[in-house]
Each structure stands twice: as C-alpha cells, then as structure tokens.
C-alpha cells in the first residue's frame, strides 16, 4: 500500500507516480478509467493515496451526480466516506470542506453544507483561493451578503478569476 499522503505537502515524485498511472485527464473528465473501463477505481486509488486530493474529490462528486448513486462502480466506499476520510486526514484543509459543502448542496442538505462552510471559514483565513471558493459556495446557497464579503477578500488577495464577480453582478450584487 502507498499512502496516505497529504496532497498539499506531497513530493512531485509521489504526485506523478499516482497521477500518471491513475488520475489521468480521461479519469478527471470522467470519460474513461485508466486502469479499468470506468473511472471509479482510479479515483478510489488516487483518494486512498491522497485523501485530500481536491481535483479527485471534485471528480468523484461529479461522477456520483452523473450516475445518480452515492457508491460508484469501482470505488470501495460511498462518496461521503471519501469526504469523511479527507476531513479526518487533513482537518486543517478548508478546501476539502468547501468541496464537501458543494456535494451536500447537490444532495439538498443545506444545513450540513453551511456547517462545513463555517468550519472552512475558521480554517481558511488569509487564503484568497479559499475565500473565492467560499464566495462561490455562499452564492450557490443564495447568501449574497456572505458571498460578496468573500469575493472582496478573494479579489483583494490577488485572485484574477472573473467568475465569482460576474455571477454576483448577474444577480445585482
């Protein structure tokens, strides 16, 4: 067995070792697996090695929505177990909680999503990327005031992505 390793501090060698064999572009885009026909097994392996691999967690969440099931073909665990494992493994990683909140929103579990966002807020101060993603999450929840607050923080911190600003402008904020 290889891992678990915190993705944020993993060496480039370890990242390449796993990503070139399992988290390939077709796996991330959910068009095909690399070691099997479907991407579930490759996502499972990637997340067992790097529990807080954000792009793999995002792909897993999208894949779950696409197939309409919480347990994916080829994956050892239900989607929520991967998020739970990532949170337990890297409790100081606010991005995992923001991603989990998006998953919970898609499951129509707004109260739980807000709980995850609150924890992410506490852990993610002074990180413009976290602020940007919190702004997007609160926008999805319709909490425009909090979204604007985090958008200002993100853009003041140097984020150049126009998406959050454009979406807030579109709703008159």
């Amino acid at each position: 067995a290889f891992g678990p390793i915190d993705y944020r501090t993993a060496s480039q060698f370890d990242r390449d070792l796993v990503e070139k064999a399992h988290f390939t572009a077709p796996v991330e885009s959910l068009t095909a697996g690399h070691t099997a026909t479907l991407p579930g097994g490759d996502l499972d392996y990637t997340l067992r090695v790097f529990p807080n691999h954000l792009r793999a967690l995002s792909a897993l969440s999208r894949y779950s929505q696409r197939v309409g099931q919480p347990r994916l073909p080829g994956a050892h665990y239900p989607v929520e177990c991967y998020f739970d494992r990532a949170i337990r493994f890297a409790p100081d990683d606010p991005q995992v909680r923001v991603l989990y909140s998006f998953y919970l929103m898609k499951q129509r579990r707004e109260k739980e999503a807000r709980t995850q966002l609150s924890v992410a807020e506490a852990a993610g101060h002074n990180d413009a990327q976290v602020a940007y993603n919190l702004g997007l999450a609160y926008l999805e929840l319709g909490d425009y005031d909090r979204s604007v607050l985090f958008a200002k923080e993100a853009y003041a911190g140097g984020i150049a992505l126009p998406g959050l600003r454009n979406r807030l402008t579109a709703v008159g904020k």
Side-chain angles (χ1 to χ4, degrees):
F2 185 59
I5 301 168
D6 188 330
Y7 189 76
R8 298 168 297 175
T9 59
S11 70
Q12 192 60 51
F13 176 81
D14 288 344
R15 288 179 183 194
D16 288 345
L17 188 67
V18 173
E19 291 177 340
K20 289 181 179 178
H22 294 280
F23 195 65
T24 59
V27 171
E28 185 171 12
S29 66
L30 307 176
T31 55
H34 188 72
T35 61
T37 306
L38 299 172
D42 289 301
L43 291 170
D44 171 77
Y45 185 83
T46 302
L47 290 168
R48 282 188 290 133
V49 174
F50 301 118
N52 62 330
H53 191 297
L54 299 175
R55 291 178 16 243
L57 283 167
S58 178
L60 185 79
S61 181
R62 289 191 327 271
Y63 190 33
S64 173
Q65 291 170 332
R66 181 181 292 177
V67 300
Q69 296 180 11
R71 186 177 216 124
L72 306 172
H76 283 85
Y77 311 108
V79 172
E80 289 210 48
C81 288
Y82 291 98
F83 279 110
D84 179 62
R85 183 170 185 260
I87 288 167
R88 285 184 290 114
F89 181 76
D92 63 330
D93 190 341
Q95 296 285 44
V96 170
R97 291 184 181 272
V98 173
L99 274 177
Y100 187 32
S101 75
F102 280 109
Y103 174 78
L104 292 168
M105 283 183 242
K106 297 290 185 188
Q107 302 300 311
R108 301 187 198 310
R109 293 162 54 191
E110 183 179 311
K111 184 176 179 182
E112 292 170 79
R114 286 183 181 278
T115 299
Q116 294 301 318
L117 292 174
S118 293
V119 176
E121 283 182 50
H125 284 296
N126 302 323
D127 185 323
Q129 187 63 51
V130 172
Y132 184 86
N133 290 332
L134 284 166
L136 287 172
Y138 282 114
L139 180 65
E140 287 294 317
L141 288 169
D143 189 339
Y144 301 127
D145 292 338
R146 292 204 67 68
S147 182
V148 168
L149 174 78
F150 286 108
K152 288 179 180 179
E153 186 178 319
Y155 291 119
I159 295 292
L161 301 169
L164 179 55
R165 179 181 292 122
N166 293 344
R167 289 183 61 195
L168 284 167
T169 301
V171 296
K173 297 293 178 177

